[in-house]
Amino acid sequence: MSEPQSPHVGTSAPPLLPMPDACNAGTAIRAYVLVNAVVLLLPLAFSPRPSEWWGLLLQGLAVAEPGAAIWLSVMCLSRRSWRKLGGLMRVGVGISAGAAAGWIAQALVDSVIAVGAGSALPDWRSALVGAVLAGGFLHYLSLRAQALTPATVQARLDELQARIRPHFLFNALNAASALVREQPQRAEQVLDDLAELFRATVSRPGTLSTVQEEVDLARRYLDIESVRFGARMQIRWAVEPGLEHLRIPSLTLQPLVENAVRHGVESGTGPCLIDVWVTPRAGMVELGVVNDYSPSAASNGRGTRMALSNIAQRLHLLYDITADLHHGPVDGLVPPRYRVRIRLPL
């Protein structure tokens, strides 16, 4: 992954020759995939006999694995220094670090093999391979960065958010219209909440909001839906104090509670308990919703999972692989419950 652009608005253009954020898990995984793919191909290229492949493969892995770790460590720990350089100089740093990582890794292997027999200088070819791999990886990141420029990402995010906004506003308006004749005063309050929802979701610019804003938005939506379902819809909140100002993607929590209402409360006839939580966990922030649901109603294909797919795409654009979304039935509970959990980096 190229240097992370701020996901708040994304108005500046990326550098023509970007450098990787080597501290990012996505970059590390892609680097290891590239290195190991090359190592796996080398035995096929240099030895026609399968009996010799394992020896060459183990020799290659013995150098490639520590070499990749050294390169990623150097690029991560020194990122504040090389980010101040120009584009070509930054790429030169990356290629030089690749050559040095290959040289050092080969030296470590030679020192282990030649214990007690005097160590020889490492093979220069390891440095050359390290430089070539680093250059190829940087070129791949450059192409990927061009496909994920801030303007492109922001346009995609705007498109995804534009899809989800009318969806829940339409449902909320239906709830308000049902009260106009029977409970006009309550309908007025619902319309006030709906106006606030519209202001918060349509008029608010940017890609991120705060945990407090997302919780308030979800509460307003649930207040509107409580008009339709009354005591059948039971809500339990568990929001960890101190996370109120943490910035997270807009329209993340509200679609989850909307799904819980639609596929839990609306699909059933009895009481439905919905649990909503926001808490830090294992160095990340976790948002989740669990609701009672009817497996028979779920099997009828009522859920399109549009909201979950939408959120998953936005998380990938903003955080690459450092965020995740998991959903599915919770085993062993009566009544059956369905859980959706999102984890974001702090």
Side-chain angles (χ1 to χ4, degrees), residues 190-237:
V190 170
L191 289 173
D192 287 342
D193 286 339
L194 182 58
E196 179 60 25
L197 284 173
F198 188 86
R199 182 199 66 78
T201 58
V202 177
S203 301
R204 182 175 60 203
T207 302
L208 300 185
S209 60
T210 65
V211 167
Q212 185 62 57
E213 289 171 337
E214 288 295 297
V215 169
D216 290 343
L217 191 66
R219 287 185 187 274
R220 287 184 178 275
Y221 176 80
L222 291 172
D223 287 344
I224 292 174
E225 291 290 24
S226 68
V227 174
R228 287 202 294 161
F229 301 110
R232 280 213 306 121
M233 186 175 72
Q234 304 169 14
I235 311 295
R236 290 192 308 200
W237 289 88

Side-chain angles (χ1 to χ4, degrees), residues 251-274:
L251 290 175
T252 299
L253 185 59
Q254 187 279 328
L256 300 187
V257 298
E258 182 182 345
N259 271 3
V261 170
R262 182 183 178 191
H263 304 300
V265 187
E266 189 175 342
S267 298
T269 57
C272 177
L273 175 63
I274 300 174

Side-chain angles (χ1 to χ4, degrees), residues 23 69 112 141 148-149 169 246 251 300:
C23 301
V112 172
L141 292 174
L148 294 175
T149 59
L169 289 174
L246 181 68
L251 290 175
N300 291 334

Side-chain angles (χ1 to χ4, degrees), residues 287-304:
L287 299 83
V289 176
V290 177
N291 61 276
D292 301 336
Y293 83 109
S294 171
S296 59
S299 63
N300 291 334
R302 295 188 60 182
T304 62

Side-chain angles (χ1 to χ4, degrees), residues 105-165:
Q106 184 66 59
L108 292 174
V109 172
D110 288 347
S111 66
V112 172
I113 295 175
V115 170
S119 60
L121 288 175
D123 194 331
W124 62 268
R125 288 174 293 187
S126 296
L128 178 60
V129 171
V132 171
L133 287 176
F137 188 53
L138 292 175
H139 180 64
Y140 157 75
L141 292 174
S142 177
L143 296 177
R144 187 172 186 271
Q146 292 176 28
L148 294 175
T149 59
T152 303
V153 170
Q154 189 64 42
R156 179 60 175 154
L157 289 169
D158 290 343
E159 176 192 352
L160 291 169
Q161 290 183 199
R163 289 182 186 178
I164 206 168
R165 284 167 176 157

Side-chain angles (χ1 to χ4, degrees), residues 78-92:
S78 64
R79 64 190 184 279
R80 292 185 179 179
S81 299
W82 53 252
R83 282 179 178 172
K84 301 176 182 179
L85 303 175
L88 292 177
M89 290 291 292
R90 297 163 113 196
V91 173

